[in-house]
Amino acid sequence: MAHLLWECAWFIILSSSFFLLLFWAYFWLVAQNDFSDFNWLVYNHSGEWRDETIPILTSTTVGFSYITFLLILALFHISLGQQLNLYWIHKVGVLATLLTTVSGFVSVNDIWGDEWEIILVSLQFTAPFLHIGGLVTVTAVSWLVAGYVVRKERSNFQVMVLTIYILVLLTLCLAPLTFTCPCIMDRHVLKPPPVIIGRRGAPMLAPENTVMSFTRALQHGANSLEADVTISVDGVPFLIRDHTLRRTTDVSKVFPSREHEEASSFNWTEIHSLNAGHWFLESDPYWTVKALSAKDRSRIGNLTICSLVEMLRLAARANSSVLLNIRKPSPDHPRFRSWFMDTLWTLQKAGISQKKVTWAPDTDRGRVRGLLQTTNEKLSVNEIRHRGITSVTLHYRKISYKDIQAYLANNVSVTVYPVNEPWLYSILWCSGVPSVSSDAPQVLRKVPYPVWLMSHSAYNFIWISSDLVSVAVVMGIFFFQKVEQRAGQHRGAVSVS
């Protein structure tokens, strides 16, 4: 009896490990949209730039494959009426995999806790398919459940197993009632595709916030450009994402004693002397360097930091609009009081129409006249009306389908970032979002239509049909198992007589 309980405990541990790894694998599958942000956060914690997603994806694939293989073998053993009998080495392997996965959860929650919300966002796209997959799985498991509960010997545990199984099946059948899937809609109400904004250019094809990156974005169909603006100590607006120059330049070689200083503490001559391309070739942050031509690699190797005026002139020539995320200097910075005039003078010097320029945040509204402003805050419709805001730029995790509809109904333009995967682009397209900001404009431009689109009547038919088929198959399996059990009893009685 004790041995049987011990084997049951190991089966529970094995099953728990499988479902935990399944959730973990799904998380990293949908989190591909934000791999760059994850590596950037790790860099801010460790000070070293490296692609941490590679060991995570490798270990997840190996662990999930191993646990899945063991679980399939365990189910076969159970279906044949045999005990699990895991070898000690597999028990060690299961525990090691489980502990590694749990430690991964803890680490991600510490560094990247907000990213868990992508699970709920992704369900707007995957829920209908997960529902069908869940039904298929539960229907297949019914063979094992039926074989266990139709035995002659009745026990409370059998009743509990049957009750849990029925509740799980019922929950799955009714789950679509809770789904919010923007792409379940009639085709004739689908709006035009969102405008694609090159976020820091096309950073998968060239170093972020460089002239080459912005050029590549325009060449690959970006309708607009987005950049991060910092003011140098001598009043020149230039483009960089980080607070320091360490990650994206060779400042550690040129100015080794100043590599940890704020980027805004350098003058433009010093900034322009730095190389802004070698880091991209060496670290290959998006695994794209090998696909570049020798000519492109040579150009990247000689890139320098881009000034705001260079980017604006490029946009003006392409008749493209721009979105500027301006980092105001600190109070002790020499340009603290003049940063606005420095930026405005740069816009005038570039010769770009003010109607083509939007900047964030939406502070200094009294001074920003003639320019469009957007807010990065999620505000209520009443607050937006009170502040006279006409545009919001929000992270996709901060805005829901209902929020989007409320903003659009009140003539508030919505831009969502970062949108790098076709599935997320499709959700936002179906939601009616006017524009998205993307690190991968070359990917989104190849999405001519939402990945999937289905009318309400078509989905209701699929939902109800799949539920009915599943229930019918489950009932058939239970009936067959009961008939087989009775036939076995009859054969046993005949052989005894």
Side-chain angles (χ1 to χ4, degrees):
M1 183 65 180
H3 179 72
L4 180 60
L5 291 175
W6 186 242
E7 290 299 317
C8 288
W10 274 109
F11 180 75
I12 292 173
I13 293 173
L14 180 61
S15 301
S16 300
S17 300
F18 172 77
F19 286 111
L20 192 65
L21 268 168
L22 183 64
F23 181 85
W24 180 249
Y26 178 81
F27 168 75
W28 284 105
L29 178 65
V30 296
Q32 290 183 70
N33 185 80
D34 302 323
F35 276 3
S36 176
D37 289 345
F38 173 71
N39 287 326
W40 188 68
L41 286 173
V42 172
Y43 167 78
N44 288 335
H45 277 73
S46 66
E48 298 295 330
W49 179 266
R50 53 184 180 271
D51 193 345
E52 294 289 353
T53 62
I54 294 178
I56 291 174
L57 294 176
T58 302
S59 61
T60 299
T61 302
V62 172
F64 185 70
S65 301
Y66 174 65
I67 295 297
T68 302
F69 175 72
L70 289 182
L71 184 61
I72 292 173
L73 287 181
L75 292 174
F76 272 119
H77 274 268
I78 293 172
S79 66
L80 296 173
Q82 301 174 0
Q83 294 184 6
L84 183 59
N85 290 327
L86 271 179
Y87 288 110
W88 69 267
I89 192 170
H90 288 310
K91 292 178 181 179
V92 172
V94 170
L95 287 178
T97 304
L98 179 60
L99 292 175
T100 302
T101 306
V102 170
S103 65
F105 271 89
V106 174
S107 299
V108 168
N109 195 63
D110 179 52
I111 298 174
W112 209 22
D114 292 342
E115 188 67 11
W116 296 119
E117 296 177 26
I118 197 174
I119 298 292
L120 295 177
V121 175
S122 68
L123 289 178
Q124 298 179 49
F125 181 83
T126 60
F129 307 101
L130 293 178
H131 168 243
I132 294 176
L135 281 176
V136 171
T137 302
V138 171
T139 303
V141 170
S142 67
W143 183 269
L144 299 177
V145 177
Y148 178 72
V149 300
V150 300
R151 293 175 182 174
K152 183 178 180 181
E153 303 82 7
R154 286 287 185 269
S155 68
N156 292 333
F157 187 72
Q158 285 176 304
V159 175
M160 183 182 71
V161 169
L162 180 60
T163 302
I164 292 174
Y165 179 81
I166 292 174
L167 289 175
V168 170
L169 180 60
L170 183 63
T171 301
L172 268 176
C173 289
L174 299 179
L177 292 173
T178 66
F179 293 170
T180 300
C181 301
C183 289
I184 297 179
M185 63 184 300
D186 294 326
R187 295 176 182 270
H188 68 273
V189 298
L190 180 67
K191 295 184 178 180
V195 169
I196 300 173
I197 302 172
R199 189 172 179 240
R200 306 182 185 102
M204 294 184 180
L205 305 178
E208 63 187 52
N209 281 324
T210 61
V211 172
M212 186 174 179
S213 182
F214 293 119
T215 301
R216 287 287 181 267
L218 293 173
Q219 289 173 345
H220 285 84
N223 308 96
S224 183
L225 301 174
E226 179 183 352
D228 308 294
V229 183
T230 297
I231 311 297
S232 71
V233 74
D234 53 345
V236 178
F238 65 99
L239 310 183
I240 191 168
R241 178 186 187 183
D242 301 0
H243 285 274
T244 71
L245 297 162
R246 278 189 72 220
R247 181 174 67 90
T248 57
T249 73
D250 59 349
V251 65
S252 60
K253 295 179 181 179
V254 181
F255 303 105
S257 63
R258 301 178 63 189
E259 63 174 314
H260 295 287
E261 291 185 14
E262 289 278 333
S264 60
S265 68
F266 291 75
N267 63 48
W268 175 242
T269 301
E270 294 169 333
I271 293 168
H272 198 57
S273 69
L274 300 173
N275 184 285
H278 284 318
W279 76 274
F280 182 85
L281 298 175
E282 293 170 0
S283 63
D284 194 8
Y286 295 96
W287 311 339
T288 54
V289 170
K290 291 183 180 179
L292 297 174
S293 66
K295 182 178 179 181
D296 283 342
R297 293 186 191 183
S298 176
R299 288 184 60 192
I300 290 173
N302 293 308
L303 286 174
T304 58
I305 289 181
C306 180
S307 66
L308 176 59
V309 71
E310 289 179 278
M311 190 272 278
L312 292 176
R313 284 172 175 167
L314 176 65
R317 289 195 297 270
N319 195 30
S320 174
S321 57
V322 296
L323 171 60
L324 305 179
N325 298 305
I326 301 177
R327 183 181 296 135
K328 291 175 61 174
S330 59
D332 59 345
H333 194 276
R335 313 304 295 190
F336 175 68
R337 297 186 180 278
S338 59
W339 71 270
F340 175 79
M341 293 308 300
D342 292 335
T343 308
L344 188 60
W345 180 81
T346 301
L347 296 179
Q348 295 172 346
K349 182 180 178 181
I352 189 171
S353 170
Q354 292 189 353
K355 294 181 180 180
K356 291 284 188 178
V357 180
T358 302
W359 82 19
D362 66 322
T363 55
D364 302 279
R365 295 188 63 81
R367 303 170 68 187
V368 185
R369 296 178 179 176
L371 297 173
L372 302 175
Q373 278 189 291
T374 184
T375 181
N376 300 122
E377 299 177 76
K378 183 181 177 181
L379 304 173
S380 66
V381 172
N382 290 335
E383 180 67 14
I384 285 176
R385 289 173 178 170
H386 176 71
R387 291 170 60 170
I389 297 172
T390 59
S391 175
V392 295
T393 301
L394 298 173
H395 197 285
Y396 69 83
R397 293 194 301 260
K398 293 183 178 180
I399 190 167
S400 67
Y401 176 76
K402 291 183 178 179
D403 295 328
I404 293 171
Q405 301 311 308
Y407 285 141
L408 296 179
N410 287 272
N411 296 319
V412 177
S413 180
V414 179
T415 298
V416 180
Y417 72 94
V419 182
N420 303 319
E421 293 292 318
W423 69 264
L424 183 55
Y425 183 63
S426 297
I427 290 174
L428 298 172
W429 185 346
C430 295
S431 300
V433 169
S435 58
V436 299
S437 182
S438 174
D439 297 328
Q442 75 281 2
V443 173
L444 301 189
R445 185 51 63 189
K446 295 178 181 179
V447 182
Y449 205 69
V451 175
W452 67 268
L453 190 67
M454 195 181 307
S455 67
H456 289 278
S457 58
Y459 179 66
N460 289 337
F461 174 78
I462 293 173
W463 163 30
I464 295 172
S465 298
S466 58
D467 282 357
L468 292 176
V469 169
S470 177
V471 171
V473 171
V474 168
M475 293 177 64
I477 288 174
F478 271 79
F479 178 77
F480 177 78
Q481 290 276 27
K482 186 66 175 177
V483 171
E484 281 291 300
Q485 191 257 350
R486 288 180 177 176
Q489 291 177 354
H490 178 70
R491 286 193 296 268
V494 171
S495 62
V496 169
S497 61

